[in-house]
Amino acid sequence: MKTAIDSTKSSALALIFADFKEITKARLAISVVFSSIAGYFLGAYEIQWTHVLLLAFGGYCMVGASNAYNQVIEKDLDALMKRTKNRPIPAGRMSVKLAMTVAIVLTLLGVLALYLLNPKTAMFGAISIFLYTSVYTPLKTITPLAVFVGAIPGAIPFMLGWVAATNDFGIEPGTLFMIQFFWQFPHFWALGWMLDDDYKSGGFKMLPTGKKDGATVLQIIMYTIWMMVVSVIPTFGITGRLQLSVPAGVLVFLMGAVMLGFAFKLYSNRDNASARKLMLASVSYITLMQIVYVIDKFLS
């Protein structure tokens, strides 16, 4: 009997943990934390691991809170889409009240953790939650410009790490922000292309032209080129302490060129398979680019 009870408790805890991961979008949150830590390594004169832990914890809480608020607001629309109908709220596994409690607690914990680093970091984290929840989320059913707004909180993490390390905002974190800002568009529009039918069933307007057409892909190509340009600007020594050696700059540019190649492939094929390849290439690009930046700093 005791074994059966213990097994039931373990199963219940596993389900609660799974729903917590779902309501906070754990995979997305971890990728955001990765970007923040990369930015911290780039900005830090000396790495303090307690600061890294605070940044990781605070960053996860802020992203988790944003996603929890988002799922509360969009619960009825999530129920209409295949990819979201089994989320905790529309599936009935979590009440709106509990989800809001999770979001509020994560907000408070996240702001506190980031404030312990410095007030500027907490401020940018709070701005990120506000823009994602109060501006981006409601705009998604109104205009494709929502993606532009959403790219702002989406670009904050890389910059946030630098601010956490330096308590300063200048050209260096501004450059990191712009890299991830321009990256958001090809990444998200590739995802939007793949999920266009599902998004439309929920009333979301995600593609820039509203269609899976050549004009949408041309914008993807344009923003990818801008991303490539901004990503190599630190090679020219005009971005303060944020420097990139010539070999590292060439490597980053070539990685961007690979991503651009997938964008041109999407223009040629106009199919979901090409959009998926571009989306995966964009994920690889942002991760490898940040690793190259960090390694180059410590080798230079």
Side-chain angles (χ1 to χ4, degrees):
M1 176 68 75
K2 184 177 179 181
T3 302
I5 293 174
D6 289 342
S7 177
T8 301
K9 286 181 179 179
S10 297
S11 298
L13 287 173
L15 288 173
I16 291 171
F17 183 63
D19 281 343
F20 177 80
K21 290 195 299 181
E22 183 71 21
I23 201 77
T24 60
K25 291 188 180 178
R27 290 175 62 183
L28 173 62
I30 290 170
S31 71
V32 168
V33 168
F34 180 88
S35 292
S36 298
I37 292 175
Y40 177 88
F41 284 164
L42 291 173
Y45 292 99
E46 179 182 350
I47 294 173
Q48 299 183 48
W49 292 105
T50 54
H51 289 182
V52 173
L53 291 175
L54 280 171
L55 178 62
F57 177 76
Y60 189 100
C61 286
M62 302 301 266
V63 178
S66 296
N67 289 320
Y69 287 127
N70 173 267
Q71 291 182 48
V72 168
I73 295 168
E74 295 181 349
K75 63 184 187 303
D76 295 329
L77 300 179
D78 281 348
L80 302 175
M81 296 184 289
K82 291 179 181 178
R83 72 182 188 89
T84 56
K85 66 182 181 181
N86 289 319
R87 283 177 173 174
I89 301 176
R93 297 191 307 274
M94 184 180 292
S95 68
V96 170
K97 183 178 179 180
L98 178 57
M100 277 298 294
T101 300
V102 170
I104 292 169
V105 170
L106 288 176
T107 300
L108 296 174
L109 290 175
V111 170
L112 176 60
L114 297 182
Y115 186 83
L116 291 175
L117 290 167
N118 58 66
K120 286 190 179 72
T121 304
M123 178 190 72
F124 281 120
I127 288 172
S128 177
I129 288 183
F130 173 78
L131 287 176
Y132 189 89
T133 303
S134 302
V135 185
Y136 167 67
T137 296
L139 281 179
K140 286 163 67 179
T141 56
I142 299 172
T143 172
L145 289 174
V147 175
F148 181 88
V149 176
I152 298 173
I156 284 177
F158 202 16
M159 172 201 83
L160 191 73
W162 185 289
V163 176
T166 64
N167 193 24
D168 183 54
F169 182 84
I171 191 169
E172 299 95 342
T175 302
L176 298 180
F177 174 88
M178 292 306 294
I179 293 171
Q180 202 153 13
F181 177 79
F182 285 117
W183 170 83
Q184 295 276 318
F185 295 93
H187 170 74
F188 196 81
W189 283 333
L191 185 63
W193 184 292
M194 292 164 52
L195 301 173
D196 186 53
D197 292 337
D198 210 21
Y199 275 131
K200 284 179 177 176
S201 67
F204 294 119
K205 305 176 186 295
M206 307 311 294
L207 294 177
T209 66
K211 302 176 183 177
K212 296 162 71 170
D213 58 10
T216 285
V217 189
L218 285 175
Q219 292 199 50
I220 289 175
I221 290 170
M222 179 185 71
Y223 279 99
T224 303
I225 292 171
W226 275 112
M227 176 202 75
M228 292 170 62
V229 171
V230 178
S231 294
V232 298
I233 285 178
T235 307
F236 299 96
I238 58 175
T239 51
R241 284 205 301 121
L242 181 64
Q243 301 288 325
L244 197 63
S245 69
V246 172
V250 170
L251 181 57
V252 168
F253 184 83
L254 291 175
M255 290 191 300
V258 171
M259 184 172 156
L260 183 62
F262 282 108
F264 277 112
K265 194 74 172 177
L266 177 59
Y267 185 82
S268 298
N269 296 341
R270 316 278 176 91
D271 61 2
N272 286 350
S274 298
R276 177 175 173 77
K277 290 176 182 177
L278 173 58
M279 187 272 293
L280 293 174
S282 70
V283 173
S284 298
Y285 174 83
I286 198 68
T287 303
L288 293 173
M289 178 273 297
Q290 290 168 347
I291 290 172
V292 169
Y293 264 69
V294 172
I295 291 175
D296 187 63
K297 175 193 173 179
F298 288 101
L299 289 181
S300 300

PDB file of all heavy atoms in Angstrom, residues 149-182:
ATOM      1  N   VAL A 149       7.300  44.564 -32.007  1.00  0.00           N
ATOM      2  CA  VAL A 149       7.259  44.870 -30.573  1.00  0.00           C
ATOM      3  C   VAL A 149       7.851  43.713 -29.774  1.00  0.00           C
ATOM      4  O   VAL A 149       8.639  43.912 -28.843  1.00  0.00           O
ATOM      5  CB  VAL A 149       5.817  45.153 -30.115  1.00  0.00           C
ATOM      6  CG1 VAL A 149       5.759  45.372 -28.604  1.00  0.00           C
ATOM      7  CG2 VAL A 149       5.253  46.365 -30.858  1.00  0.00           C
ATOM      8  N   GLY A 150       7.471  42.488 -30.148  1.00  0.00           N
ATOM      9  CA  GLY A 150       7.969  41.317 -29.431  1.00  0.00           C
ATOM     10  C   GLY A 150       9.460  41.117 -29.557  1.00  0.00           C
ATOM     11  O   GLY A 150      10.093  40.506 -28.689  1.00  0.00           O
ATOM     12  N   ALA A 151      10.040  41.660 -30.641  1.00  0.00           N
ATOM     13  CA  ALA A 151      11.488  41.539 -30.835  1.00  0.00           C
ATOM     14  C   ALA A 151      12.271  42.356 -29.810  1.00  0.00           C
ATOM     15  O   ALA A 151      13.444  42.087 -29.573  1.00  0.00           O
ATOM     16  CB  ALA A 151      11.866  41.978 -32.248  1.00  0.00           C
ATOM     17  N   ILE A 152      11.616  43.345 -29.191  1.00  0.00           N
ATOM     18  CA  ILE A 152      12.314  44.180 -28.198  1.00  0.00           C
ATOM     19  C   ILE A 152      12.584  43.386 -26.920  1.00  0.00           C
ATOM     20  O   ILE A 152      13.751  43.249 -26.522  1.00  0.00           O
ATOM     21  CB  ILE A 152      11.528  45.473 -27.929  1.00  0.00           C
ATOM     22  CG1 ILE A 152      11.430  46.308 -29.212  1.00  0.00           C
ATOM     23  CG2 ILE A 152      12.205  46.287 -26.812  1.00  0.00           C
ATOM     24  CD1 ILE A 152      10.529  47.528 -29.106  1.00  0.00           C
ATOM     25  N   PRO A 153      11.566  42.829 -26.241  1.00  0.00           N
ATOM     26  CA  PRO A 153      11.887  41.991 -25.071  1.00  0.00           C
ATOM     27  C   PRO A 153      12.694  40.759 -25.445  1.00  0.00           C
ATOM     28  O   PRO A 153      13.527  40.280 -24.659  1.00  0.00           O
ATOM     29  CB  PRO A 153      10.512  41.610 -24.511  1.00  0.00           C
ATOM     30  CG  PRO A 153       9.563  41.812 -25.629  1.00  0.00           C
ATOM     31  CD  PRO A 153      10.108  42.956 -26.429  1.00  0.00           C
ATOM     32  N   GLY A 154      12.486  40.264 -26.692  1.00  0.00           N
ATOM     33  CA  GLY A 154      13.250  39.102 -27.133  1.00  0.00           C
ATOM     34  C   GLY A 154      14.725  39.380 -27.299  1.00  0.00           C
ATOM     35  O   GLY A 154      15.551  38.458 -27.244  1.00  0.00           O
ATOM     36  N   ALA A 155      15.084  40.655 -27.510  1.00  0.00           N
ATOM     37  CA  ALA A 155      16.486  41.025 -27.719  1.00  0.00           C
ATOM     38  C   ALA A 155      17.177  41.482 -26.447  1.00  0.00           C
ATOM     39  O   ALA A 155      18.394  41.707 -26.447  1.00  0.00           O
ATOM     40  CB  ALA A 155      16.563  42.139 -28.773  1.00  0.00           C
ATOM     41  N   ILE A 156      16.431  41.623 -25.369  1.00  0.00           N
ATOM     42  CA  ILE A 156      17.012  42.141 -24.121  1.00  0.00           C
ATOM     43  C   ILE A 156      18.001  41.180 -23.450  1.00  0.00           C
ATOM     44  O   ILE A 156      19.005  41.627 -22.885  1.00  0.00           O
ATOM     45  CB  ILE A 156      15.880  42.564 -23.149  1.00  0.00           C
ATOM     46  CG1 ILE A 156      15.279  43.899 -23.622  1.00  0.00           C
ATOM     47  CG2 ILE A 156      16.390  42.668 -21.714  1.00  0.00           C
ATOM     48  CD1 ILE A 156      14.108  44.392 -22.776  1.00  0.00           C
ATOM     49  N   PRO A 157      17.788  39.849 -23.473  1.00  0.00           N
ATOM     50  CA  PRO A 157      18.647  38.960 -22.673  1.00  0.00           C
ATOM     51  C   PRO A 157      20.147  39.092 -22.921  1.00  0.00           C
ATOM     52  O   PRO A 157      20.934  39.140 -21.959  1.00  0.00           O
ATOM     53  CB  PRO A 157      18.140  37.567 -23.058  1.00  0.00           C
ATOM     54  CG  PRO A 157      16.713  37.781 -23.407  1.00  0.00           C
ATOM     55  CD  PRO A 157      16.665  39.113 -24.079  1.00  0.00           C
ATOM     56  N   PHE A 158      20.590  39.115 -24.172  1.00  0.00           N
ATOM     57  CA  PHE A 158      22.021  39.209 -24.480  1.00  0.00           C
ATOM     58  C   PHE A 158      22.593  40.491 -23.887  1.00  0.00           C
ATOM     59  O   PHE A 158      23.665  40.504 -23.272  1.00  0.00           O
ATOM     60  CB  PHE A 158      22.200  39.186 -26.001  1.00  0.00           C
ATOM     61  CG  PHE A 158      23.569  38.770 -26.479  1.00  0.00           C
ATOM     62  CD1 PHE A 158      24.480  38.134 -25.654  1.00  0.00           C
ATOM     63  CD2 PHE A 158      23.937  39.010 -27.800  1.00  0.00           C
ATOM     64  CE1 PHE A 158      25.733  37.746 -26.120  1.00  0.00           C
ATOM     65  CE2 PHE A 158      25.186  38.629 -28.272  1.00  0.00           C
ATOM     66  CZ  PHE A 158      26.079  38.002 -27.431  1.00  0.00           C
ATOM     67  N   MET A 159      21.851  41.573 -24.042  1.00  0.00           N
ATOM     68  CA  MET A 159      22.229  42.869 -23.495  1.00  0.00           C
ATOM     69  C   MET A 159      22.188  42.856 -21.961  1.00  0.00           C
ATOM     70  O   MET A 159      23.041  43.441 -21.286  1.00  0.00           O
ATOM     71  CB  MET A 159      21.261  43.922 -24.025  1.00  0.00           C
ATOM     72  CG  MET A 159      21.395  45.292 -23.408  1.00  0.00           C
ATOM     73  SD  MET A 159      19.875  46.259 -23.628  1.00  0.00           S
ATOM     74  CE  MET A 159      18.893  45.649 -22.268  1.00  0.00           C
ATOM     75  N   LEU A 160      21.184  42.159 -21.418  1.00  0.00           N
ATOM     76  CA  LEU A 160      20.967  42.158 -19.977  1.00  0.00           C
ATOM     77  C   LEU A 160      22.184  41.623 -19.225  1.00  0.00           C
ATOM     78  O   LEU A 160      22.533  42.117 -18.147  1.00  0.00           O
ATOM     79  CB  LEU A 160      19.737  41.311 -19.644  1.00  0.00           C
ATOM     80  CG  LEU A 160      19.205  41.400 -18.215  1.00  0.00           C
ATOM     81  CD1 LEU A 160      18.521  42.742 -17.989  1.00  0.00           C
ATOM     82  CD2 LEU A 160      18.211  40.266 -17.938  1.00  0.00           C
ATOM     83  N   GLY A 161      22.822  40.594 -19.812  1.00  0.00           N
ATOM     84  CA  GLY A 161      23.997  40.025 -19.163  1.00  0.00           C
ATOM     85  C   GLY A 161      25.118  41.030 -19.017  1.00  0.00           C
ATOM     86  O   GLY A 161      25.788  41.088 -17.973  1.00  0.00           O
ATOM     87  N   TRP A 162      25.335  41.844 -20.056  1.00  0.00           N
ATOM     88  CA  TRP A 162      26.375  42.878 -19.988  1.00  0.00           C
ATOM     89  C   TRP A 162      26.045  43.891 -18.891  1.00  0.00           C
ATOM     90  O   TRP A 162      26.920  44.276 -18.104  1.00  0.00           O
ATOM     91  CB  TRP A 162      26.522  43.580 -21.333  1.00  0.00           C
ATOM     92  CG  TRP A 162      27.650  44.566 -21.381  1.00  0.00           C
ATOM     93  CD1 TRP A 162      27.721  45.780 -20.753  1.00  0.00           C
ATOM     94  CD2 TRP A 162      28.902  44.408 -22.071  1.00  0.00           C
ATOM     95  NE1 TRP A 162      28.910  46.395 -21.005  1.00  0.00           N
ATOM     96  CE2 TRP A 162      29.658  45.579 -21.809  1.00  0.00           C
ATOM     97  CE3 TRP A 162      29.442  43.412 -22.884  1.00  0.00           C
ATOM     98  CZ2 TRP A 162      30.941  45.766 -22.346  1.00  0.00           C
ATOM     99  CZ3 TRP A 162      30.718  43.604 -23.404  1.00  0.00           C
ATOM    100  CH2 TRP A 162      31.448  44.766 -23.135  1.00  0.00           C
ATOM    101  N   VAL A 163      24.795  44.325 -18.846  1.00  0.00           N
ATOM    102  CA  VAL A 163      24.371  45.305 -17.838  1.00  0.00           C
ATOM    103  C   VAL A 163      24.506  44.705 -16.441  1.00  0.00           C
ATOM    104  O   VAL A 163      24.909  45.397 -15.492  1.00  0.00           O
ATOM    105  CB  VAL A 163      22.927  45.759 -18.103  1.00  0.00           C
ATOM    106  CG1 VAL A 163      22.444  46.711 -17.008  1.00  0.00           C
ATOM    107  CG2 VAL A 163      22.817  46.444 -19.471  1.00  0.00           C
ATOM    108  N   ALA A 164      24.195  43.420 -16.305  1.00  0.00           N
ATOM    109  CA  ALA A 164      24.338  42.757 -15.012  1.00  0.00           C
ATOM    110  C   ALA A 164      25.793  42.752 -14.552  1.00  0.00           C
ATOM    111  O   ALA A 164      26.084  42.882 -13.357  1.00  0.00           O
ATOM    112  CB  ALA A 164      23.816  41.322 -15.099  1.00  0.00           C
ATOM    113  N   ALA A 165      26.715  42.622 -15.497  1.00  0.00           N
ATOM    114  CA  ALA A 165      28.141  42.555 -15.161  1.00  0.00           C
ATOM    115  C   ALA A 165      28.743  43.926 -14.892  1.00  0.00           C
ATOM    116  O   ALA A 165      29.695  44.051 -14.118  1.00  0.00           O
ATOM    117  CB  ALA A 165      28.907  41.872 -16.290  1.00  0.00           C
ATOM    118  N   THR A 166      28.186  44.971 -15.521  1.00  0.00           N
ATOM    119  CA  THR A 166      28.840  46.288 -15.492  1.00  0.00           C
ATOM    120  C   THR A 166      28.022  47.385 -14.828  1.00  0.00           C
ATOM    121  O   THR A 166      28.562  48.443 -14.517  1.00  0.00           O
ATOM    122  CB  THR A 166      29.145  46.751 -16.930  1.00  0.00           C
ATOM    123  OG1 THR A 166      27.905  46.935 -17.632  1.00  0.00           O
ATOM    124  CG2 THR A 166      30.008  45.723 -17.656  1.00  0.00           C
ATOM    125  N   ASN A 167      26.729  47.154 -14.629  1.00  0.00           N
ATOM    126  CA  ASN A 167      25.824  48.193 -14.137  1.00  0.00           C
ATOM    127  C   ASN A 167      25.880  49.426 -15.037  1.00  0.00           C
ATOM    128  O   ASN A 167      25.796  50.566 -14.569  1.00  0.00           O
ATOM    129  CB  ASN A 167      26.157  48.588 -12.688  1.00  0.00           C
ATOM    130  CG  ASN A 167      25.056  49.428 -12.056  1.00  0.00           C
ATOM    131  OD1 ASN A 167      23.897  49.372 -12.461  1.00  0.00           O
ATOM    132  ND2 ASN A 167      25.420  50.226 -11.062  1.00  0.00           N
ATOM    133  N   ASP A 168      26.035  49.186 -16.337  1.00  0.00           N
ATOM    134  CA  ASP A 168      26.162  50.292 -17.282  1.00  0.00           C
ATOM    135  C   ASP A 168      25.492  49.923 -18.594  1.00  0.00           C
ATOM    136  O   ASP A 168      25.541  48.768 -19.023  1.00  0.00           O
ATOM    137  CB  ASP A 168      27.644  50.606 -17.519  1.00  0.00           C
ATOM    138  CG  ASP A 168      27.836  51.795 -18.450  1.00  0.00           C
ATOM    139  OD1 ASP A 168      27.264  52.867 -18.167  1.00  0.00           O
ATOM    140  OD2 ASP A 168      28.554  51.655 -19.464  1.00  0.00           O
ATOM    141  N   PHE A 169      24.857  50.934 -19.217  1.00  0.00           N
ATOM    142  CA  PHE A 169      24.291  50.732 -20.546  1.00  0.00           C
ATOM    143  C   PHE A 169      24.951  51.714 -21.496  1.00  0.00           C
ATOM    144  O   PHE A 169      24.884  52.930 -21.299  1.00  0.00           O
ATOM    145  CB  PHE A 169      22.771  50.948 -20.564  1.00  0.00           C
ATOM    146  CG  PHE A 169      22.172  50.705 -21.921  1.00  0.00           C
ATOM    147  CD1 PHE A 169      21.834  49.427 -22.323  1.00  0.00           C
ATOM    148  CD2 PHE A 169      21.985  51.750 -22.817  1.00  0.00           C
ATOM    149  CE1 PHE A 169      21.306  49.187 -23.580  1.00  0.00           C
ATOM    150  CE2 PHE A 169      21.457  51.524 -24.079  1.00  0.00           C
ATOM    151  CZ  PHE A 169      21.116  50.237 -24.457  1.00  0.00           C
ATOM    152  N   GLY A 170      25.624  51.170 -22.521  1.00  0.00           N
ATOM    153  CA  GLY A 170      26.302  52.013 -23.503  1.00  0.00           C
ATOM    154  C   GLY A 170      26.302  51.325 -24.853  1.00  0.00           C
ATOM    155  O   GLY A 170      25.432  50.501 -25.149  1.00  0.00           O
ATOM    156  N   ILE A 171      27.293  51.622 -25.654  1.00  0.00           N
ATOM    157  CA  ILE A 171      27.326  51.087 -27.017  1.00  0.00           C
ATOM    158  C   ILE A 171      27.504  49.575 -27.033  1.00  0.00           C
ATOM    159  O   ILE A 171      26.997  48.894 -27.931  1.00  0.00           O
ATOM    160  CB  ILE A 171      28.439  51.776 -27.846  1.00  0.00           C
ATOM    161  CG1 ILE A 171      28.268  51.403 -29.332  1.00  0.00           C
ATOM    162  CG2 ILE A 171      29.836  51.395 -27.325  1.00  0.00           C
ATOM    163  CD1 ILE A 171      29.136  52.222 -30.255  1.00  0.00           C
ATOM    164  N   GLU A 172      28.202  49.041 -26.028  1.00  0.00           N
ATOM    165  CA  GLU A 172      28.436  47.587 -26.014  1.00  0.00           C
ATOM    166  C   GLU A 172      27.129  46.802 -25.845  1.00  0.00           C
ATOM    167  O   GLU A 172      26.794  45.967 -26.708  1.00  0.00           O
ATOM    168  CB  GLU A 172      29.431  47.209 -24.913  1.00  0.00           C
ATOM    169  CG  GLU A 172      30.795  47.850 -25.074  1.00  0.00           C
ATOM    170  CD  GLU A 172      30.952  49.139 -24.282  1.00  0.00           C
ATOM    171  OE1 GLU A 172      29.896  49.706 -23.894  1.00  0.00           O
ATOM    172  OE2 GLU A 172      32.092  49.564 -24.049  1.00  0.00           O
ATOM    173  N   PRO A 173      26.367  47.029 -24.763  1.00  0.00           N
ATOM    174  CA  PRO A 173      25.101  46.292 -24.656  1.00  0.00           C
ATOM    175  C   PRO A 173      24.102  46.689 -25.738  1.00  0.00           C
ATOM    176  O   PRO A 173      23.274  45.874 -26.147  1.00  0.00           O
ATOM    177  CB  PRO A 173      24.586  46.661 -23.262  1.00  0.00           C
ATOM    178  CG  PRO A 173      25.265  47.932 -22.919  1.00  0.00           C
ATOM    179  CD  PRO A 173      26.607  47.859 -23.576  1.00  0.00           C
ATOM    180  N   GLY A 174      24.199  47.933 -26.222  1.00  0.00           N
ATOM    181  CA  GLY A 174      23.338  48.352 -27.323  1.00  0.00           C
ATOM    182  C   GLY A 174      23.596  47.528 -28.573  1.00  0.00           C
ATOM    183  O   GLY A 174      22.660  47.148 -29.294  1.00  0.00           O
ATOM    184  N   THR A 175      24.871  47.219 -28.836  1.00  0.00           N
ATOM    185  CA  THR A 175      25.220  46.387 -29.989  1.00  0.00           C
ATOM    186  C   THR A 175      24.713  44.960 -29.812  1.00  0.00           C
ATOM    187  O   THR A 175      24.165  44.359 -30.747  1.00  0.00           O
ATOM    188  CB  THR A 175      26.748  46.368 -30.194  1.00  0.00           C
ATOM    189  OG1 THR A 175      27.217  47.707 -30.374  1.00  0.00           O
ATOM    190  CG2 THR A 175      27.127  45.536 -31.415  1.00  0.00           C
ATOM    191  N   LEU A 176      24.868  44.423 -28.604  1.00  0.00           N
ATOM    192  CA  LEU A 176      24.359  43.075 -28.328  1.00  0.00           C
ATOM    193  C   LEU A 176      22.846  43.031 -28.512  1.00  0.00           C
ATOM    194  O   LEU A 176      22.299  42.051 -29.041  1.00  0.00           O
ATOM    195  CB  LEU A 176      24.734  42.652 -26.906  1.00  0.00           C
ATOM    196  CG  LEU A 176      26.233  42.556 -26.584  1.00  0.00           C
ATOM    197  CD1 LEU A 176      26.431  42.133 -25.133  1.00  0.00           C
ATOM    198  CD2 LEU A 176      26.931  41.587 -27.532  1.00  0.00           C
ATOM    199  N   PHE A 177      22.179  44.094 -28.082  1.00  0.00           N
ATOM    200  CA  PHE A 177      20.726  44.177 -28.266  1.00  0.00           C
ATOM    201  C   PHE A 177      20.368  44.151 -29.750  1.00  0.00           C
ATOM    202  O   PHE A 177      19.461  43.410 -30.166  1.00  0.00           O
ATOM    203  CB  PHE A 177      20.197  45.464 -27.623  1.00  0.00           C
ATOM    204  CG  PHE A 177      18.732  45.703 -27.876  1.00  0.00           C
ATOM    205  CD1 PHE A 177      17.780  45.179 -27.016  1.00  0.00           C
ATOM    206  CD2 PHE A 177      18.305  46.442 -28.969  1.00  0.00           C
ATOM    207  CE1 PHE A 177      16.424  45.386 -27.244  1.00  0.00           C
ATOM    208  CE2 PHE A 177      16.949  46.656 -29.205  1.00  0.00           C
ATOM    209  CZ  PHE A 177      16.007  46.125 -28.345  1.00  0.00           C
ATOM    210  N   MET A 178      21.069  44.926 -30.558  1.00  0.00           N
ATOM    211  CA  MET A 178      20.732  45.019 -31.979  1.00  0.00           C
ATOM    212  C   MET A 178      20.969  43.698 -32.710  1.00  0.00           C
ATOM    213  O   MET A 178      20.212  43.325 -33.603  1.00  0.00           O
ATOM    214  CB  MET A 178      21.548  46.131 -32.638  1.00  0.00           C
ATOM    215  CG  MET A 178      21.176  47.532 -32.174  1.00  0.00           C
ATOM    216  SD  MET A 178      19.409  47.905 -32.357  1.00  0.00           S
ATOM    217  CE  MET A 178      19.242  47.882 -34.141  1.00  0.00           C
ATOM    218  N   ILE A 179      22.017  42.966 -32.322  1.00  0.00           N
ATOM    219  CA  ILE A 179      22.276  41.663 -32.944  1.00  0.00           C
ATOM    220  C   ILE A 179      21.066  40.748 -32.750  1.00  0.00           C
ATOM    221  O   ILE A 179      20.527  40.169 -33.698  1.00  0.00           O
ATOM    222  CB  ILE A 179      23.538  41.003 -32.360  1.00  0.00           C
ATOM    223  CG1 ILE A 179      24.785  41.797 -32.737  1.00  0.00           C
ATOM    224  CG2 ILE A 179      23.662  39.557 -32.844  1.00  0.00           C
ATOM    225  CD1 ILE A 179      26.041  41.334 -32.005  1.00  0.00           C
ATOM    226  N   GLN A 180      20.640  40.635 -31.487  1.00  0.00           N
ATOM    227  CA  GLN A 180      19.543  39.711 -31.198  1.00  0.00           C
ATOM    228  C   GLN A 180      18.198  40.274 -31.679  1.00  0.00           C
ATOM    229  O   GLN A 180      17.290  39.513 -32.003  1.00  0.00           O
ATOM    230  CB  GLN A 180      19.477  39.401 -29.700  1.00  0.00           C
ATOM    231  CG  GLN A 180      18.766  38.107 -29.390  1.00  0.00           C
ATOM    232  CD  GLN A 180      19.215  37.466 -28.101  1.00  0.00           C
ATOM    233  OE1 GLN A 180      19.894  38.077 -27.286  1.00  0.00           O
ATOM    234  NE2 GLN A 180      18.837  36.216 -27.888  1.00  0.00           N
ATOM    235  N   PHE A 181      18.086  41.592 -31.773  1.00  0.00           N
ATOM    236  CA  PHE A 181      16.859  42.211 -32.283  1.00  0.00           C
ATOM    237  C   PHE A 181      16.637  41.820 -33.742  1.00  0.00           C
ATOM    238  O   PHE A 181      15.559  41.344 -34.110  1.00  0.00           O
ATOM    239  CB  PHE A 181      16.947  43.726 -32.148  1.00  0.00           C
ATOM    240  CG  PHE A 181      15.753  44.462 -32.713  1.00  0.00           C
ATOM    241  CD1 PHE A 181      14.575  44.533 -31.987  1.00  0.00           C
ATOM    242  CD2 PHE A 181      15.822  45.082 -33.943  1.00  0.00           C
ATOM    243  CE1 PHE A 181      13.466  45.209 -32.498  1.00  0.00           C
ATOM    244  CE2 PHE A 181      14.731  45.758 -34.467  1.00  0.00           C
ATOM    245  CZ  PHE A 181      13.545  45.828 -33.732  1.00  0.00           C
ATOM    246  N   PHE A 182      17.650  42.014 -34.589  1.00  0.00           N
ATOM    247  CA  PHE A 182      17.492  41.680 -36.007  1.00  0.00           C
ATOM    248  C   PHE A 182      17.350  40.176 -36.212  1.00  0.00           C
ATOM    249  O   PHE A 182      16.648  39.720 -37.125  1.00  0.00           O
ATOM    250  CB  PHE A 182      18.661  42.231 -36.824  1.00  0.00           C
ATOM    251  CG  PHE A 182      18.599  43.713 -37.031  1.00  0.00           C
ATOM    252  CD1 PHE A 182      19.585  44.547 -36.523  1.00  0.00           C
ATOM    253  CD2 PHE A 182      17.549  44.292 -37.725  1.00  0.00           C
ATOM    254  CE1 PHE A 182      19.525  45.923 -36.707  1.00  0.00           C
ATOM    255  CE2 PHE A 182      17.473  45.661 -37.920  1.00  0.00           C
ATOM    256  CZ  PHE A 182      18.459  46.485 -37.403  1.00  0.00           C
TER     257      PHE A 182
END
